[in-house]
Amino acid sequence: MAFEIAHVNVGRMAAPADDPQMKEFIDNLEPLFALSEAAPGFVWRQTDDDPGFEWDAGDSAGTTVNISVWASMEELENFTYSGRHREFVRRRREWFQHMTEAAYALWWVPAGHRPTTAEAEERVRHLRAHGPAPYAFTFKQSFPPGTHRPEPSPAEHSAAPTARPGRLHAGPG
């Protein structure tokens, strides 16, 4: 079976989208999305046109969720930490609240699978509760494709805190 790498990035904006503090970030969203879509290895990203997409980039609570799929871990990592995107990663604290919990997660998906927001939220919650595992991991501690299960093991589930209903909380407060 062929696999692709799924990535979700979660953030809580430091100010409403129309606040001058957010202007440079908001003005560069579309150019950054275009850059990612032209990058080697890019496969797909969830947009607000996709069914079930729940990205709320405009309110003061501003939880943002960006989900994408890439052909390989190397190509995703190259895009994330190079060029213009790297500049924005380095400056993220200008636009997003500091998070003490995992702000992103990676996991392998069968080629052609497109993750939902709910699936991505579950992966981040799992990573926050258990740390890196084949079910959800990070760039620093990754696992090869084919080592994951579609669902975490019963032991992993029983150790997980009770999930709160509703949207994934991106940070304190």
Side-chain angles (χ1 to χ4, degrees):
M1 174 182 286
F3 291 96
E4 296 168 329
I5 189 78
H7 171 259
V8 61
N9 187 31
V10 180
R12 181 173 296 283
M13 294 191 317
D18 61 356
D19 188 286
Q21 177 181 350
M22 299 302 296
K23 182 174 179 21
E24 186 177 7
F25 177 78
I26 297 298
D27 287 352
N28 280 282
L29 274 177
E30 289 307 317
L32 286 171
F33 286 148
L35 249 161
S36 70
E37 291 170 5
F42 174 84
V43 174
W44 170 88
R45 76 174 177 89
Q46 190 176 49
T47 68
D48 55 5
D49 294 334
D50 293 325
F53 190 57
E54 300 173 12
W55 183 18
D56 180 9
D59 97 20
S60 61
T63 299
T64 63
V65 179
N66 184 11
I67 305 168
S68 59
V69 175
W70 294 75
S72 73
M73 178 78 108
E74 294 76 25
E75 288 165 316
L76 169 59
E77 196 164 18
N78 286 340
F79 172 75
T80 301
Y81 297 113
S82 67
R84 184 134 171 86
H85 187 267
R86 180 182 181 170
E87 294 172 32
F88 278 79
V89 169
R90 284 183 173 166
R91 295 179 59 199
R92 68 189 173 276
R93 296 247 184 348
E94 294 177 37
W95 304 297
F96 291 91
Q97 296 175 17
H98 174 70
M99 294 176 59
T100 58
E101 309 179 285
Y104 76 94
L106 305 169
W107 69 100
W108 295 104
V109 295
H113 176 74
R114 302 299 173 250
T116 64
T117 303
E119 179 182 348
E121 288 178 358
E122 170 59 28
R123 301 297 174 137
V124 172
R125 286 181 179 175
H126 190 272
L127 180 62
R128 288 175 177 177
H130 305 288
Y135 186 72
F137 49 89
T138 66
F139 285 115
K140 289 181 182 177
Q141 189 173 355
S142 63
F143 296 83
T147 59
H148 73 290
R149 296 176 302 278
E151 297 291 329
S153 72
E156 289 173 323
H157 262 312
S158 65
T162 304
R164 291 179 301 178
R167 307 257 332 253
L168 179 68
H169 222 13

